[in-house]
């Protein structure tokens, strides 16, 4: 999957652009495509990659939608993107940084999480040359 693509429309032209970008980055035609049940996805699928299977049932796309939850959280936190381009630039940069700053919590106990975060902040301080600022009294 090509990272993330933010678009201001969800029409057939936008779906075509998305599928073409998908083909360009993966360099292979997928066996099956799972999308939400928008008609525009079906139109674009038939035009761009007719050999791939297409499934668009309501529950099939949950895995893809759940993978976008961190993006939705960041969008909610920023809220004031002035344009789709600004959102795309921010999210493209943040996708590479976020996993280094926020480890997945579910496989760790609380003490393991604290140790991991301490190590990550120490590495960040070494790389950036910025010492931790003292807390205000």
């Amino acid at each position: 999957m090509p990272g993330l693509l933010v678009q201001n429309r969800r029409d057939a032209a936008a779906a075509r652009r998305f599928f073409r970008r998908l083909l360009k980055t993966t360099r292979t035609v997928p066996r099956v495509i799972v999308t939400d049940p928008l008609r525009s996805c079906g139109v674009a699928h038939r035009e761009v990659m007719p050999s791939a299977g297409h499934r668009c049932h309501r529950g099939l796309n949950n895995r893809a939608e759940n993978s976008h939850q961190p993006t939705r959280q960041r969008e909610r936190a920023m809220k004031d993107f002035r344009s789709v381009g600004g959102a795309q630039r921010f999210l493209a940069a943040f996708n590479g940084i976020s996993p280094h700053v926020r480890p997945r919590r579910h496989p760790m106990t609380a003490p393991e999480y604290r140790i991991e975060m301490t190590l990550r902040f120490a590495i960040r301080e070494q790389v950036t040359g910025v010492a931790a600022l003292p807390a205000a009294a």
Side-chain angles (χ1 to χ4, degrees):
M1 188 70 207
L4 183 69
L5 180 63
V6 179
Q7 296 180 328
N8 57 356
R9 296 188 187 273
R10 296 189 68 187
D11 57 2
R16 263 187 242 109
R17 274 193 309 273
F18 176 74
F19 285 146
R20 284 192 188 115
R21 182 175 172 186
L22 176 68
L23 286 173
K24 192 167 143 182
T25 55
T26 59
R27 297 185 181 138
T28 181
V29 177
R31 193 170 44 84
V32 176
I33 297 173
V34 178
T35 64
D36 48 1
L38 284 175
R39 296 265 196 209
S40 60
C41 292
V43 170
H45 159 259
R46 284 190 295 277
E47 289 179 13
V48 177
M49 38 186 147
S51 62
H54 183 220
R55 301 213 173 90
C56 60
H57 188 265
R58 186 172 60 102
L60 291 175
N61 200 30
N62 285 348
R63 184 174 181 181
E65 293 300 331
N66 287 337
S67 72
H68 287 25
Q69 281 180 353
T71 302
R72 302 283 182 241
Q73 289 170 355
R74 292 194 297 272
E75 285 174 348
R76 268 197 307 278
M78 291 296 286
K79 270 189 240 176
D80 295 325
F81 288 125
R82 293 179 187 218
S83 67
V84 173
Q88 181 70 58
R89 282 189 302 275
F90 169 76
L91 292 170
F94 198 74
N95 272 345
I97 297 167
S98 177
H100 297 293
V101 179
R102 302 178 336 167
R104 296 289 185 156
R105 178 71 188 269
H106 63 276
M108 296 184 196
T109 63
E112 289 171 347
Y113 181 78
R114 284 191 288 273
I115 291 168
E116 180 67 25
M117 288 306 291
T118 303
L119 289 172
R120 287 180 185 216
F121 281 117
I123 291 169
R124 190 196 97 211
E125 288 173 10
Q126 288 175 351
V127 169
T128 60
V130 177
L133 298 173

